[in-house]
Amino acid sequence: MRYAVLSDIHANLEALEAVLDDARAQHCDDFVCLGDVVGYNANPSECLQRVRELGCPVVKGNHDEQASIAFSTEEFNEMAEEAIGWTRAHLSAEEKAWLADLRLTRQVRDFTIVHATLDTPGHWGYVFNDLDAIASFTYQHTQLCFFGHTHWPTAFVREDSVQRIAVGRIVLAPGRKYLINPGSIGQPRDRDWRAAYCIYDLERNVVEQRRVKYDLETAQRKIGQAGLPQRLADRLAAGR
Ligand code: ZN
């Protein structure tokens, strides 16, 4: 059984379709989604539809939350706020209700999924360093948890202490806990423009990071045509 772990799609349809093609070529038959399906890029409805077609467990991201309500309750920068307003106007009432109904955390088989952190999932804190990871690990009751939100592929392991480890290929060892971020599909910020996701192989106990090239130019052109800020198109190419 191989899960594709999808996060921070952010309405980038070209990136999502490239990842789904890659995941199927890599024999993934199951999927989970760590939230922020919408926000920033130009295809929120289409991405929502693709994710719903997967019929997979999905948790709520902060952009999903803000897109599903009438007025922002979270402080966003100007560019993100403009994109959230645009996204609200381009989702149906039914789509917003679906987003609003998402839960903040879920357990899937023997692992947990969350968008931000397990300690305060609805406060949308970021796990960037060991201290952030320690707080989240306190509430982690499974060996493995996947999280998103930072758009950085990252992995932490807890044995006696908490350490950051390299993403790439992680073999899960008994007696240790793992907190892993697959990176972002639709808006990577680690200076690599390619879409990021993870594959979790349950039989082999391995989590493997993947990067996938996609039709960047089309995604950028759509942002321009939608009237979204040009900076959102530029940052896709820069991967930041
Ligand atoms: Zn995000």
Side-chain angles (χ1 to χ4, degrees):
M1 182 164 238
R2 284 162 68 78
Y3 273 92
V5 183
L6 318 175
S7 191
D8 295 277
I9 296 162
H10 281 297
N12 185 336
L13 183 63
E14 286 67 36
L16 175 59
E17 289 191 327
V19 163
L20 293 178
D21 286 348
D22 187 73
R24 292 194 173 105
Q26 292 290 319
H27 310 292
C28 292
D29 30 38
D30 285 288
F31 298 83
V32 290
C33 175
L34 311 182
D36 276 4
V37 178
V38 304
Y40 291 129
N41 299 304
N43 287 118
S45 276
E46 294 80 358
C47 288
L48 207 54
Q49 191 186 331
R50 294 292 187 289
V51 168
R52 292 173 73 174
E53 283 164 6
L54 294 174
C56 70
V58 184
V59 285
K60 189 188 287 185
N62 54 319
H63 286 256
D64 303 323
E65 177 178 81
Q66 294 300 320
S68 71
I69 57 182
F71 300 99
S72 295
T73 55
E74 189 183 344
E75 285 270 324
F76 279 117
N77 63 43
E78 203 178 317
M79 186 176 61
E81 185 58 48
E82 198 176 330
I84 282 289
W86 184 93
T87 301
R88 269 188 207 117
H90 287 82
L91 289 174
S92 70
E94 192 275 333
E95 288 167 332
K96 288 181 207 177
W98 189 86
L99 287 173
D101 271 349
L102 292 173
R103 284 149 54 184
L104 293 174
T105 67
R106 290 187 66 162
Q107 186 173 334
V108 184
R109 293 191 165 257
D110 61 351
F111 63 100
T112 309
I113 58 174
V114 65
H115 184 66
T117 72
L118 287 178
D119 45 317
T120 52
H123 290 151
W124 314 116
Y126 292 90
V127 177
F128 275 122
N129 57 40
D130 298 5
L131 278 181
D132 305 327
I134 287 167
S136 190
F137 270 126
T138 307
Y139 292 85
Q140 184 175 322
H141 304 299
T142 54
Q143 184 191 22
L144 174 61
C145 175
F146 291 104
F147 73 104
H149 196 36
T150 64
H151 298 209
W152 276 78
T154 328
F156 297 91
V157 60
R158 187 177 89 171
E159 196 176 14
D160 297 325
S161 60
V162 169
Q163 278 185 314
R164 184 191 290 266
I165 52 172
V167 292
R169 189 171 186 278
I170 299 169
V171 182
L172 306 180
R176 297 182 186 177
K177 282 187 174 173
Y178 296 85
L179 181 59
I180 298 176
N181 189 322
S184 169
I185 290 176
Q187 194 193 78
R189 294 180 191 161
D190 59 335
R191 297 173 196 269
D192 182 341
W193 68 274
R194 298 172 301 165
Y197 80 104
C198 269
I199 296 174
Y200 172 34
D201 188 313
L202 274 79
E203 275 80 42
R204 294 193 176 94
N205 278 317
V206 169
V207 178
E208 186 194 350
Q209 163 89 36
R210 306 246 341 140
R211 298 303 290 241
V212 183
K213 291 181 179 170
Y214 69 94
D215 184 354
L216 176 68
E217 289 73 24
T218 298
Q220 289 180 310
R221 182 160 23 88
K222 286 181 180 175
I223 289 169
Q225 286 166 350
L228 284 159
Q230 178 59 33
R231 164 96 181 84
L232 289 172
D234 297 342
R235 73 186 297 177
L236 288 183
R240 51 176 295 194

